[in-house]
Each structure stands twice: as structure tokens, then as C-alpha cells.
Amino acid sequence: MHSLVGDRAWQWRPEEKEIPPENKGMADSGSEYDYQSGFGNEFATEDPRFPGALPKGQNNPQKCAYGLYAEQLSGTAFTAPRESNQRTWLYRILPSVKHSPFTPYPHQYLSSDWNKQHPNPNQLRWKPFDMPSEKTDWVDGLRTVAGAGDSRTRHGLSIHVYVCNTSMIDKAFYNSDGDLLLVPQEGELDITTELGRIRVKPNQICVIQQGIRFSVAVSGPSRGYILEVYDNHFVLPNLGPIGANGLANPRDFLTPTAWSENRKTDFKIVSKYQGHLFQALQDHSPFDVVGWHGNYAPYKYDLQNFCTVNSVSYDHMDPSIFTVLTCPSGKPGTALADFVIFPPRWSVAENTFRPPYYHRNCMSEFMGLILGKYEAKESGFNPGGATLHSMMTPHGPDAQCFEDWTNRELGPIKVAVGTQAFMFESCMQLALTKWGEETCNKIDKDYHKCWMDLKNNFAIKN
């Protein structure tokens, strides 16, 4: 049986492991996590231990229930159109303004200076990024690979990986520069946010928007990818003639319910601001939001819920049909960044070369592999690694893939079973960081050789 054929993709998943008490950090709860269903909904939720925490009929009463403070978190300008306006009202034990002044937080591998490295137009492939050998939490394990633009002008993006092996203890992070899309590849993330708790496993994603404070707990070595966007927020792609249903269905996006703790402790708040990290201290947990209402909140999505569409007659369709989320640019129909996946699916196109076609693109394509083997390159591209095919840099199936699929007897085939590859696609030219190009020491210098065995099959007589 061909390696791309097999059983349902979710069978790869490991059993859920309990997080040891000494490593739970801020996410220790002792109860199941609860979620609200829907994408971009207006939610209203209270910590069940404090009924009536949300005011009725107004946002900021003279006196809030339980002596709480009302605080608005704005994700768009006040005057943004109603259909795109995002904000949430938080009712918390102490307002977030109570902290010491910020001071620099040293970090060696987080970067937004895209001019340090000379441009590199080559096809690039990274071997799996190393796990840390020393005790490293999620913040200290951030590594910037590539990016473009400027967070100060709110235009651009960054691509990072994270590698960590210990939880954030009495420490929270927030991003002033934009939204973060997290793609775990190894190890589940137990995330406590101001708006509630989220558990994210490999083959799931999580979006945490600009300004929202969160802490990450892990149960062991963990690795994943991050897409950071400066411009807009992620939205669902328009479906056009597909109709009202398909791709990522809104009901499958899950937002946490309110959860709070009233804990007095020395707490460190780390802020990413204009590409640099800063830290402030406070004497209490920031996860003290007893209730909240609004439409600006983190969410997660299980990639196995994606409803694929594809050709049922002939030809290989463009990968845009696999878009889960998109961050629009100012140019209609062109994304600052798309998050695209290549999930298990049936391939039935007749008289068609079914793997991805050879391609030169006006967009930049950064790919990662969560699990399995990518159908166009079954060797060399491994889980935890990555590829980058820059603007107009040719790419496509390797020689072996072309040979196999050109001569294969076609019929209905289930492809990518046990596999989940993804792509961050952007309209911007991506520049590498020194860590991404040199320090990580993971670039496969033989990557180009996978195309060197392509043959000249031209014949005057067909």
C-alpha cells in the first residue's frame, strides 16, 4: 500500500498526559476546560463561582459587583465599522495598570530587524529545530526565523518557532505588536489567558490577539510554529461559489469561558513592544478576570474538523482551497498572511498529475510539518522542520515524486493520511534572521539536489 494511503488521520494522536503538579504553573485548575462555540461571536461569560459578576444593561457601572474594576480591551479603533469592530469588557479584581515600570527583558533570538542578513532567494529547507538542553520556558524559547514589515507602522509579519521544556511560573506574556497564531508540533500547550484557559494539542491551533496576557504550561519538551501579523486580525476566508458551508466551519472555533484566581504573588509581565521584550513586576496574578463580554477573545481550532473541497473531475486545484484563516491586506483578494493546511483527503482527478504542480509564485510560502510525510516530498522534510520558497523562486515535487505520480495507475486514493502539513503564505518578501539562516544550524544545504535528477523527457514525437 502506498505510504499516503491508510486510516483516519486522528489515529496518530498520543494519549493525553496529566501535567505534573510541579510543572503546571498558572494553568493548574483541577477541572475540565470549558469553551464557547463560534467564530467572532459576542460572548458573555462569568466565573461560575461569582454569579452576577457581569453588569446588566451597561458596561461600566459606578460600582461593579464584588468590588470589581471594569476595563475595556480594544482590538480595533473605536470608530472601526460595526461589522469589524472588536472589543471586550473585562471585570477584574485589579486593573492591569497596577505594575512597576517596564525595563528591558534580554532575549537573544527574537528579532524584527530584517536588514541584518543579506537577501537569500534560494529554496530553503530546515531540519527539525532542536529542543533546548537547558531549562527553557515558552518566552525564552522563542526564535524568529523570518519576517517583513514594521510593527511600528502596523504592517508586516514575523514567523517564529518556539522550543521549550518547562512552564512559565508566575510569568505572563502579551504582544503589543500584533496577533499570534500558534501551531503546536510536539507537546500540548496548557494556556491560561486573562479570558480563560485553553488546552492546545498538536494538530490544533490557537490564536491569541494583540494585548491579551497569557501564560504557557507544558508537560515536557515542546515545539511549534508561530505566525505573527501586525496589520489586521485573522478572519475566515470568503467562500464565494463554494456556498455557505465548507472549509473551517465557524461553530468549530472554541473560545474559553471566564476563569479567575485571586492570588497575591510576585508576578512578571513580559511585553513584546516594537520588536523588543520588556518586563514589569506586580504583586498579583493578572488572571483575575471574573467575568467578561465582547468579541475580542482568544480561540482554538482542531484541524481535523476542516472540511476539504477539491476537484472531482480533473486538474490539481490551487492550494487556496485549503485556507483555514486569513489576515487580509489592503489589496482586495490578497492576504498579508494565509494559514493553509494540507490534510487527509480523497484524490480522484482523472488524467491529472495529482501532487502540487511546479510553481513560481508572487507570494512567499513558508511551510511546516506537524506530523507524517508531505506528499510532494516524502524524504528530507520532517516534522518540526520547515521550508521557505520565496517570491518567484521555483519549487515543486522532487524527482522521485514526479516519476512515481506520472506513471501511477490513477483511481480514488486517500492522500496525506497520518500527515498534516501547513503553509504560512504572504504577499510580503520574507527576510531571514541570523538565527534562522546561521545560528540554528538547521538549513539543509543539499535541498536543491532533490530536483537535480529531473529528466529531460522531451520527445519530438508524442
Side-chain angles (χ1 to χ4, degrees):
M1 182 176 289
H2 191 266
S3 62
L4 298 181
V5 184
D7 297 321
R8 298 303 296 268
W10 53 74
Q11 291 185 358
W12 71 273
R13 288 185 172 182
E15 294 183 3
E16 239 180 273
K17 296 180 180 178
E18 284 296 318
I19 296 179
E22 69 273 10
N23 216 19
K24 284 191 175 182
M26 295 305 305
D28 188 9
S29 68
S31 63
E32 289 299 315
Y33 292 10
D34 294 322
Y35 300 98
Q36 306 164 96
S37 171
F39 188 91
N41 290 11
E42 281 282 340
F43 295 111
T45 174
E46 299 172 336
D47 187 320
R49 296 169 294 178
F50 304 101
L54 293 179
K56 298 186 184 303
Q58 65 178 124
N59 294 321
N60 55 328
Q62 184 179 18
K63 290 184 178 181
C64 294
Y66 300 103
L68 298 171
Y69 290 85
E71 178 178 290
Q72 183 175 197
L73 178 62
S74 294
T76 57
F78 293 141
T79 52
R82 181 177 285 261
E83 63 269 17
S84 59
N85 202 301
Q86 296 188 38
R87 57 84 185 95
T88 287
W89 279 93
L90 314 175
Y91 301 91
R92 58 191 317 151
I93 295 171
L94 282 169
S96 58
V97 71
K98 187 181 178 183
H99 62 76
S100 69
F102 283 101
T103 58
Y105 183 97
H107 199 296
Q108 192 174 359
Y109 301 125
L110 201 65
S111 175
S112 60
D113 186 346
W114 315 123
N115 297 313
K116 283 187 175 181
Q117 295 294 106
H118 197 273
N120 185 345
N122 289 301
Q123 300 99 343
L124 297 173
R125 180 167 67 191
W126 285 266
K127 299 173 184 177
F129 298 103
D130 289 336
M131 294 289 190
S133 56
E134 300 179 350
K135 200 172 181 181
T136 304
D137 68 21
W138 186 88
V139 172
D140 295 333
L142 292 171
R143 311 283 187 259
T144 308
V145 179
D150 188 347
S151 61
R152 292 171 295 181
T153 59
R154 298 300 308 279
H155 180 55
L157 75 160
S158 296
I159 295 173
H160 316 275
V161 295
Y162 67 83
V163 286
C164 58
N165 53 21
T166 192
S167 300
M168 296 166 61
I169 305 297
D170 293 338
K171 180 178 181 180
F173 176 88
Y174 72 94
N175 187 13
S176 301
D177 294 338
D179 291 5
L180 300 175
L181 189 157
L182 279 60
V183 186
Q185 183 274 318
E186 183 172 338
E188 71 176 48
L189 303 181
D190 211 341
I191 305 174
T192 300
T193 79
E194 293 177 276
L195 287 81
R197 300 165 299 162
I198 306 176
R199 182 170 292 153
V200 192
K201 305 174 184 178
N203 216 32
Q204 299 177 348
I205 62 169
C206 174
V207 171
I208 303 178
Q209 295 91 332
Q210 180 187 20
I212 295 175
R213 298 178 177 186
F214 65 95
S215 184
V216 178
V218 297
S219 58
S222 302
R223 176 173 57 200
Y225 311 85
I226 302 172
L227 174 60
E228 176 186 12
V229 292
Y230 307 151
D231 293 48
N232 297 306
H233 302 298
F234 289 102
V235 296
L236 295 173
N238 291 320
L239 295 181
I242 293 175
N245 307 288
L247 308 189
N249 291 310
R251 66 176 296 196
D252 293 326
F253 289 82
L254 302 177
T255 292
T257 56
W259 178 88
S260 63
E261 62 178 8
N262 184 14
R263 188 161 65 90
K264 193 171 180 63
T265 185
D266 293 329
F267 217 99
K268 182 180 293 184
I269 307 295
V270 179
S271 168
K272 181 176 179 290
Y273 177 75
Q274 295 186 15
H276 298 274
L277 296 187
F278 298 85
Q279 60 186 336
L281 301 178
Q282 58 186 52
D283 61 2
H284 61 282
S285 168
F287 306 121
D288 61 353
V289 177
V290 175
W292 61 269
H293 72 83
N295 61 352
Y296 190 62
Y299 53 86
K300 76 170 190 174
Y301 175 76
D302 193 325
L303 299 180
Q304 79 172 26
N305 291 328
F306 189 82
C307 179
T308 57
V309 298
N310 212 338
S311 171
V312 292
S313 55
Y314 63 90
D315 277 355
H316 183 96
M317 304 302 291
D318 294 333
S320 50
I321 60 173
F322 302 123
T323 301
V324 179
L325 292 169
T326 184
C327 180
S329 72
K331 187 176 181 180
T334 304
L336 171 77
D338 282 331
F339 175 64
V340 180
I341 63 173
F342 303 97
R345 60 199 182 276
W346 282 98
S347 178
V348 299
E350 296 179 317
N351 191 30
T352 295
F353 181 73
R354 293 184 180 176
Y357 42 70
Y358 293 99
H359 194 205
R360 290 180 295 163
N361 197 354
C362 65
M363 308 281 277
S364 300
E365 301 181 16
F366 179 94
M367 287 190 64
L369 187 60
I370 299 172
L371 68 145
K373 296 181 178 181
Y374 179 53
E375 60 200 270
K377 295 182 183 67
E378 289 200 28
S379 63
F381 183 30
N382 296 312
T387 65
L388 174 60
H389 300 138
S390 297
M391 282 187 186
M392 294 303 170
T393 295
H395 54 279
D398 60 29
Q400 186 62 51
C401 177
F402 179 82
E403 191 69 25
D404 287 348
W405 282 90
T406 300
N407 298 301
R408 179 178 298 278
E409 182 179 344
L410 296 179
I413 299 175
K414 188 73 174 288
V415 300
V417 171
T419 292
Q420 190 66 270
F422 71 87
M423 178 168 65
F424 299 151
E425 185 177 52
S426 174
C427 66
M428 303 198 75
Q429 295 258 22
L430 297 181
L432 297 174
T433 63
K434 184 175 182 180
W435 186 88
E437 190 169 18
E438 300 175 15
T439 309
C440 72
N441 197 29
K442 288 297 173 180
I443 288 184
D444 183 353
K445 299 190 183 303
D446 292 330
Y447 181 35
H448 68 284
K449 292 180 181 179
C450 73
W451 294 288
M452 292 300 101
D453 289 334
L454 287 167
K455 300 174 183 177
N456 183 340
N457 298 315
F458 180 71
I460 295 176
K461 292 184 179 181
N462 193 4

